[in-house]
Amino acid sequence: MKSNRTILTDFILVGFSFYPQVQTFFFIVFFGFYLLTLIGNLAIMVLTWADRYLHTPMYLFLSALSFSETCYTMTIIPRMLADLLFTSRRISISGCGLQMYFFLGLGGTNCIILTLMGYDRFLAICNPLRYPLLMTNMVCGWLVALAWAGGFLISLVETILIFQDFFCGSNHIQHFFCHMRAVVKLSCLDSNRKTIVVTIISVSGLLGTFLLIILTYVFILSTVLRIPSAEGKQKAFSTCASHIIVVLIHFGFASIVYLKPESSGSEDTLISIPYTVVTPFLSPLIFSLRNKDMKNALRKVLGKSCTLSK
């Protein structure tokens, strides 16, 4: 127990106060990213709902990922934008706990949905004849529900572990949101052991889902290489290309955040930007630009809109 310390009732998010001269610039840039992220993800969800041709497991998983990432950004970025404009950065302990719970839960859900998307491609390429029976829309819905349940179950364990004790000492969180490492440091009890346990849970979740994706693509690659025609190989690879790129970006940035050694607060803040701001922005962009079905659906919707306007 850290002796002679006052028990805390709220926190202050230090955020980007390390760089007061560029906070307005940060606000403009992050607001632009956030707006484009919302537009991209909402467009994917609307197109998937509007075009019956996209009512397949592949696009239902993509729509579920877009919805999850929309919620994911809403837990962090609006609060971060407000803190860039106003000097009061206080957040209650309960508010901090809720933010961490939803951030970790939605982050875990994203990882599981990306894994399910890899499994969907595995079934489509390695078991094409049985695919319509194995992966129906109902099965897809149940898998997405399990992804949400799994992500938030892990998040609940981590959040309870972090917030089960009192906090004392400085109430300054050296981050722009309630990042678990930054919050654990303020625990009245020994924070080192708790940090290790929470890190192990997070890393296990990341590595577990990533290794499952790698395993599915090992089977996919072995199947594609046996396809005799070059056109067939190219078609098979094209259906996986966007997913592979998003997986590499998502897990690459996440590994930097959770596997790197502890550093100063300002460095942690900057390193977390790609994972919380850039990755959700790139995902809908990559899936949309590299997908002919999505482009065709957009043309149909725009065509109907033009016809109605006339």
Side-chain angles (χ1 to χ4, degrees):
M1 178 75 71
K2 299 174 184 177
S3 59
N4 299 325
R5 300 292 183 92
T6 303
I7 301 298
L8 302 179
T9 57
D10 59 10
F11 298 123
I12 295 176
L13 295 169
V14 174
F16 298 95
S17 58
F18 297 107
Y19 317 99
Q21 66 278 10
V22 291
Q23 287 198 82
T24 303
F25 171 75
F26 280 155
F27 174 84
I28 295 171
V29 172
F30 294 153
F31 180 75
F33 270 110
Y34 182 52
L35 192 61
L36 292 173
T37 300
L38 290 179
I39 293 172
N41 284 319
L42 288 174
I44 289 175
M45 288 186 281
V46 169
L47 291 176
T48 303
W49 174 80
D51 193 339
R52 289 185 174 274
Y53 183 75
L54 300 182
H55 291 184
T56 61
M58 175 180 174
Y59 293 104
L60 292 177
F61 280 129
L62 178 56
S63 180
L65 179 66
S66 295
F67 178 72
S68 179
E69 287 201 327
T70 300
C71 297
Y72 174 82
T73 56
M74 289 176 69
T75 64
I76 300 296
I77 300 182
R79 171 71 200 226
M80 178 184 68
L81 293 174
D83 288 341
L84 285 170
L85 291 180
F86 305 107
T87 55
S88 177
R89 299 184 176 92
R90 290 187 176 275
I91 183 170
S92 65
I93 289 181
S94 59
C96 185
L98 283 173
Q99 186 189 58
M100 183 183 296
Y101 171 67
F102 283 104
F103 172 76
L104 294 175
L106 291 163
T109 301
N110 290 343
C111 291
I112 298 174
I113 291 177
L114 285 171
T115 306
L116 293 175
M117 292 174 75
Y119 176 66
D120 174 68
R121 293 298 84 206
F122 160 74
L123 289 179
I125 294 173
C126 300
N127 296 279
L129 298 179
R130 299 180 60 195
Y131 176 75
L133 297 175
L134 295 173
M135 186 59 74
T136 63
N137 288 351
M138 182 176 293
V139 171
C140 174
W142 278 108
L143 289 175
V144 170
L146 289 174
W148 279 77
F152 278 91
L153 179 61
I154 295 172
S155 172
L156 182 63
V157 172
E158 291 182 305
T159 306
I160 290 176
L161 183 64
I162 293 171
F163 283 87
Q164 65 181 344
D165 302 317
F166 293 109
F167 298 92
C168 54
S170 172
N171 67 338
H172 287 65
I173 296 177
Q174 303 296 325
H175 222 293
F176 59 85
F177 69 99
C178 290
H179 190 279
M180 54 184 187
R181 277 191 179 181
V183 174
V184 167
K185 290 179 182 178
L186 306 181
S187 175
C188 292
L189 300 178
D190 182 19
S191 61
N192 292 329
R193 185 182 301 175
K194 191 179 291 186
T195 300
I196 293 172
V197 173
V198 171
T199 302
I200 289 174
I201 295 173
S202 300
V203 171
S204 298
L206 281 173
L207 290 181
T209 50
F210 182 69
L211 290 176
L212 285 174
I213 294 173
I214 294 298
L215 183 61
T216 58
Y217 275 106
V218 169
F219 288 113
I220 289 173
L221 182 61
S222 65
T223 301
V224 170
L225 292 178
R226 291 198 298 268
I227 298 176
S229 67
E231 183 181 352
K233 291 179 180 178
Q234 183 178 0
K235 184 178 179 180
F237 278 126
S238 65
T239 61
C240 302
S242 298
H243 181 251
I244 293 172
I245 294 171
V246 171
V247 165
L248 292 176
I249 293 174
H250 180 88
F251 285 92
F253 284 142
S255 63
I256 293 173
V257 172
Y258 291 103
L259 297 180
K260 73 175 186 62
E262 290 192 34
S263 53
S264 65
S266 58
E267 185 179 337
D268 281 341
T269 299
L270 293 176
I271 289 175
S272 296
I273 291 174
Y275 186 59
T276 54
V277 178
V278 180
T279 300
F281 161 75
L282 291 176
S283 294
L285 193 66
I286 294 168
F287 280 119
S288 300
L289 291 179
R290 296 185 58 87
N291 193 295
K292 292 181 181 179
D293 294 334
M294 236 359 126
K295 293 178 183 178
N296 292 333
L298 180 60
R299 293 191 191 100
K300 290 179 185 177
V301 171
L302 292 177
K304 289 180 181 178
S305 300
C306 293
T307 303
L308 292 173
S309 62
K310 292 178 181 180

